[in-house]
Amino acid sequence: MRVRLRDLAEGLGLSVMAVSKALHDAPDIGAATKARVRAEAEKRGYWPNQAARSLRSKQSGLIGLLVPDLASEEAAGIAGGLLRAGEAARISVMVAASGEKKGGEAAQVKAMMGRGSEAIFILPKITTEHRSLALEAVMQAGLPVIFFQRYPADVSPGRARVSWVVRDMAHAAQLVLDHVWKQGHRSVAYLGGHPAERSHAEHCKAVREGAAQMGMELVGEATMAGLTPEDGEREMERILQGKSQPTAVICGNDAVASGAARAVLQAGLHLPGDLSIVGLGDGELARHGPVALTTVAFGNLGKAGFELWMASRDGGEMKPRTVGCELIDRGSTAEAGGGGKPSPTPSR
Amino acid sequence: MRVRLRDLAEGLGLSVMAVSKALHDAPDIGAATKARVRAEAEKRGYWPNQAARSLRSKQSGLIGLLVPDLASEEAAGIAGGLLRAGEAARISVMVAASGEKKGGEAAQVKAMMGRGSEAIFILPKITTEHRSLALEAVMQAGLPVIFFQRYPADVSPGRARVSWVVRDMAHAAQLVLDHVWKQGHRSVAYLGGHPAERSHAEHCKAVREGAAQMGMELVGEATMAGLTPEDGEREMERILQGKSQPTAVICGNDAVASGAARAVLQAGLHLPGDLSIVGLGDGELARHGPVALTTVAFGNLGKAGFELWMASRDGGEMKPRTVGCELIDRGSTAEAGGGGKPSPTPSR
DNA sequence: CTGTTAGCGCTTTCAA
DNA sequence: TTGAAAGCGCTAACAG
């Protein structure tokens, strides 16, 4: 933080204002002057003091993102998308992890507001009630809030500048059901409904209803507390020991699918020859794991959230968005009853 | 951004200064006054305007982190550690992804400096030359720079407020070699030396020298451009088709190990009965993939980097750090020549 | 087309 | 133990 507008102005024999305007490409400054100013700024390595700028203009060019923990792929993906979208619009992103602590969220959000965040993006914890002191404060301050994936039940969008971006879970379920149906599967298991998570509950429901409609039998259905690989492994083992065996297993996310695949391999069975598995989310585990998983890829939530905010920036309304999805076939599913031969696993 | 010090002061019949000092717990304000001020601040929901504060005091309480892309597990892990460490010290973190664009880095770093970052943390791209206009600018401004994992060859630490945090790759190699040696492996392959990456080159070298010293044969050694699962899969296939077969495969990271495991499964072999595989990094793929991988877990670089900076904050020198590691045995290795029976894969 | 004035909310410095 | 004055670097509003 060294060269100031004043330094440039003195060096050029201009006023501070003229320099400021020139750098902002204001219409009332001559082209020649602008060129001179820009050259000098470049030469002396000027860059603006944002603290001063936002103090004066109330425009910080900063947004805040609050996630439970960056280590999760969900959070990293959202953050990445938001960062990329932000950069294109010259918006900086402050990231905070709310972690386990209860009061954490409020303090983090206050820090963001203190720095002049123009909007707050939140990926709520699954276990949270989504409604905190922090949120009250933000909304009272009139700041836009965009939720990812989960959102408070008692807030209506539009009013109060609150909105959200979710995944099209019903469509995802339909894609998966169509896929396994076409391969001749008539008896499937579902692993992964999460009782406290709207989107997973929705997926579960869509699979259940879709299967019924198509005349597919749902021989195993597990609701689980965590959607971790361990949960998937445990439930898969349970199914393998049951009497009526499915020919395909639909999972609530890639982690569960990965755990299920682990159980299948442990049992000495072949994938996908003996059993087909479908994941959800197209994460690292599906793409790069020892078993490439057929899964459903979603559009980036972070990017969609940013666009939603940008579109509302000049007073527009904040209409919630749903990001679409597509099925990615990596060969962890095969024709039903296709025998023990594993099909080759393509790398993409 | 609404309640100001002035509002509190007027409400309490005090001066702005008294309120400011009280909130900072200055020694020259009475206990009773402090209590009153704090209660009022709490009640009215005051939080400081950081822009104003840092404009005046030159202390922003903000640091910047520049990564190639948050979606990588490496970056997400570092970012998460930095965030957590920062939060404990009430330091906010601005994150930017430098992406593919060339000029990107410089602009991002300028944005960070413009916001008053007190330090810049950089995870360089593997392909970068680590030395950019951005770095010049930062160092000229006298800001501390901490590199993760990779760093410019031509900068000496201490001078110029530059330092770095790296992983103890030599120790990691030793841990892995000891582990497979104890299981009776005498013929191993190494997949994963990266020509442009100091730490991977170091790991490769340590494995090579260690193996020689212990009298282990290195029957396959692959240097690869990307350290991706695809690279691992390809090289593993090559090895499986070769004449002299190793009994264990040591990989340069978990992604490569995962790809290698994929090739092994594709070939219809058993893991770890027919072949042992060791990863490096203890990432998602090793922990939660369909095949749980024995690997080496490192301490968090982000946390270590933050501590390095904090320790140097009052003029201390910035001594580079090395984070330690430990072997995590998840059962993807077994006694050499142990026959085809897969050992159960523990979930931890 | 360019310059002047004022002030954003806070803290440093010094006086009461 | 408290307060007044000044100013951080920038830009909105208005004059020239």
Side-chain angles (χ1 to χ4, degrees):
Chain A
M1 204 148 311
R2 267 204 10 272
V3 182
R4 298 161 300 166
L5 283 186
R6 197 171 128 186
D7 299 316
L8 295 183
E10 283 170 1
L12 291 163
L14 288 169
S15 75
V16 172
M17 261 331 285
V19 175
S20 170
K21 284 178 177 171
L23 290 175
H24 281 265
D25 204 17
D28 56 355
I29 296 287
T33 311
K34 279 182 189 170
R36 272 178 65 219
V37 170
R38 270 201 270 264
E40 177 81 357
E42 182 74 26
K43 197 184 86 190
R44 306 197 39 185
Y46 170 81
W47 70 91
N49 181 327
Q50 283 290 348
R53 204 208 285 262
S54 56
L55 180 57
R56 184 70 244 237
S57 70
K58 309 296 183 205
Q59 301 212 9
S60 64
L62 182 74
I63 57 180
L65 170 65
L66 185 62
V67 297
D69 179 1
L70 257 190
S72 83
E73 214 175 336
E74 183 182 34
I78 290 172
L82 198 63
L83 251 52
R84 272 192 302 277
E87 195 204 337
R90 307 189 65 74
I91 297 282
S92 302
V93 182
M94 194 185 136
V95 183
S98 52
E100 302 307 314
K101 286 195 310 178
K102 275 225 297 283
E105 279 183 327
Q108 307 273 28
V109 165
K110 280 190 184 172
M112 288 171 177
M113 294 198 293
R115 288 216 143 69
S117 269
E118 297 185 29
I120 308 280
F121 294 78
I122 303 181
L123 172 66
K125 306 178 221 205
I126 290 186
T127 52
T128 210
E129 39 179 293
H130 306 165
R131 182 99 189 159
S132 57
L133 288 173
L135 182 56
E136 301 297 339
V138 179
M139 296 197 338
Q140 205 185 332
L143 271 191
V145 184
I146 293 95
F147 287 93
F148 293 114
Q149 207 59 323
R150 301 172 269 283
Y151 52 87
D154 57 344
V155 175
S156 55
R159 210 190 59 77
R161 315 251 304 130
V162 176
S163 193
W164 51 78
V165 185
V166 297
R167 294 173 164 170
D168 191 346
M169 299 305 262
H171 186 217
Q174 200 52 57
L175 287 176
V176 169
L177 287 173
D178 282 352
H179 183 74
V180 298
W181 174 270
K182 280 189 195 133
Q183 293 191 312
H185 297 273
R186 296 296 176 266
S187 171
V188 303
Y190 181 77
L191 301 184
H194 191 293
E197 230 285 59
R198 184 202 56 79
S199 69
H200 285 288
E202 207 171 276
H203 186 246
C204 182
K205 180 159 166 279
V207 167
R208 193 187 302 135
E209 291 176 356
Q213 220 165 26
M214 298 165 91
M216 252 188 270
E217 191 192 6
L218 217 56
V219 303
E221 191 179 325
T223 292
M224 37 190 75
L227 295 181
T228 65
E230 286 73 30
D231 296 321
E233 189 174 5
R234 195 188 51 243
E235 292 301 328
M236 191 69 231
E237 280 167 2
R238 191 179 55 75
I239 286 174
L240 289 175
Q241 285 158 13
K243 30 202 175 302
S244 44
Q245 294 289 319
T247 63
V249 181
I250 296 172
C251 299
N253 69 12
D254 288 336
V256 169
S258 184
R262 190 184 285 191
V264 170
L265 292 179
Q266 293 286 319
L269 298 175
H270 286 275
L271 261 174
D274 296 322
L275 198 62
S276 290
I277 291 187
V278 192
L280 187 76
D282 192 32
E284 175 87 351
L285 289 172
R287 282 195 308 273
H288 296 317
V291 173
L293 292 171
T294 294
T295 188
V296 176
F298 290 92
N300 189 286
L301 288 169
K303 180 165 173 284
F306 188 82
E307 286 164 0
L308 157 54
W309 171 60
M310 282 300 270
S312 79
R313 230 177 149 189
D314 28 49
E317 70 174 313
M318 296 179 56
K319 231 173 108 190
R321 296 198 181 191
T322 302
V323 302
C325 55
E326 60 176 328
L327 189 114
I328 310 283
D329 185 355
R330 291 208 182 80
S332 69
T333 56
E335 295 290 328
K341 196 172 61 71
S343 73
T345 312
S347 61
R348 241 210 94 76
Chain B
M1 205 149 310
R2 265 207 6 275
V3 182
R4 298 161 300 165
L5 283 186
R6 196 170 127 186
D7 300 316
L8 295 183
E10 283 169 1
L12 290 163
L14 288 170
S15 75
V16 171
M17 264 328 290
V19 176
S20 170
K21 285 178 178 171
L23 290 175
H24 281 267
D25 205 16
D28 57 353
I29 296 287
T33 313
K34 280 180 187 169
R36 272 179 65 219
V37 170
R38 270 199 272 265
E40 178 80 358
E42 183 74 25
K43 196 184 88 192
R44 305 195 44 184
Y46 169 81
W47 71 90
N49 180 328
Q50 283 290 350
R53 184 183 288 198
S54 55
L55 180 58
R56 188 67 246 243
S57 70
K58 309 298 182 200
Q59 302 212 6
S60 64
L62 182 73
I63 57 181
L65 170 66
L66 186 62
V67 297
D69 179 2
L70 256 190
S72 83
E73 215 177 335
E74 182 182 34
I78 290 172
L82 197 64
L83 251 52
R84 273 192 302 277
E87 194 205 337
R90 309 188 66 73
I91 297 284
S92 302
V93 182
M94 193 186 138
V95 183
S98 51
E100 302 307 314
K101 285 196 308 179
K102 275 225 297 283
E105 278 184 328
Q108 306 273 25
V109 165
K110 279 191 184 171
M112 288 171 178
M113 294 199 291
R115 287 215 146 68
S117 270
E118 298 184 27
I120 309 279
F121 294 78
I122 303 180
L123 172 66
K125 304 179 222 203
I126 290 186
T127 52
T128 209
E129 39 178 295
H130 306 164
R131 182 98 188 163
S132 57
L133 287 173
L135 182 55
E136 301 296 340
V138 179
M139 295 198 336
Q140 205 185 332
L143 271 191
V145 184
I146 293 96
F147 287 94
F148 294 113
Q149 206 62 321
R150 302 172 270 283
Y151 51 89
D154 57 345
V155 175
S156 54
R159 212 189 59 75
R161 315 251 304 128
V162 176
S163 193
W164 50 80
V165 186
V166 297
R167 293 174 164 171
D168 191 346
M169 300 304 262
H171 186 219
Q174 199 53 54
L175 287 176
V176 170
L177 287 172
D178 282 352
H179 183 73
V180 298
W181 174 269
K182 282 191 193 129
Q183 293 190 313
H185 296 274
R186 295 297 176 266
S187 172
V188 302
Y190 181 77
L191 301 184
H194 191 294
E197 231 285 58
R198 185 201 56 78
S199 69
H200 284 289
E202 208 171 276
H203 187 246
C204 182
K205 180 157 165 280
V207 167
R208 194 186 301 137
E209 291 175 356
Q213 219 164 25
M214 299 164 91
M216 253 189 268
E217 193 192 3
L218 216 57
V219 304
E221 192 179 326
T223 293
M224 37 189 77
L227 294 180
T228 66
E230 285 74 30
D231 296 320
E233 189 175 5
R234 195 187 53 241
E235 293 300 327
M236 191 70 230
E237 280 167 1
R238 192 179 54 75
I239 286 174
L240 289 174
Q241 285 158 13
K243 30 199 175 305
S244 44
Q245 293 290 317
T247 62
V249 180
I250 297 172
C251 299
N253 69 12
D254 288 335
V256 169
S258 185
R262 189 183 286 191
V264 170
L265 292 179
Q266 293 287 320
L269 298 175
H270 286 276
L271 259 175
D274 297 321
L275 197 62
S276 291
I277 291 187
V278 192
L280 186 75
D282 192 31
E284 175 87 352
L285 289 173
R287 283 195 306 274
H288 296 315
V291 173
L293 292 171
T294 294
T295 188
V296 176
F298 290 92
N300 190 285
L301 288 168
K303 181 166 173 282
F306 187 82
E307 287 165 359
L308 157 54
W309 171 59
M310 282 300 269
S312 79
R313 232 177 147 189
D314 26 51
E317 69 174 315
M318 296 179 57
K319 230 173 108 192
R321 295 196 183 194
T322 302
V323 303
C325 55
E326 59 176 327
L327 190 115
I328 310 284
D329 185 355
R330 290 208 182 80
S332 70
T333 56
E335 295 289 328
K341 196 172 61 71
S343 73
T345 311
S347 62
R348 241 210 95 77

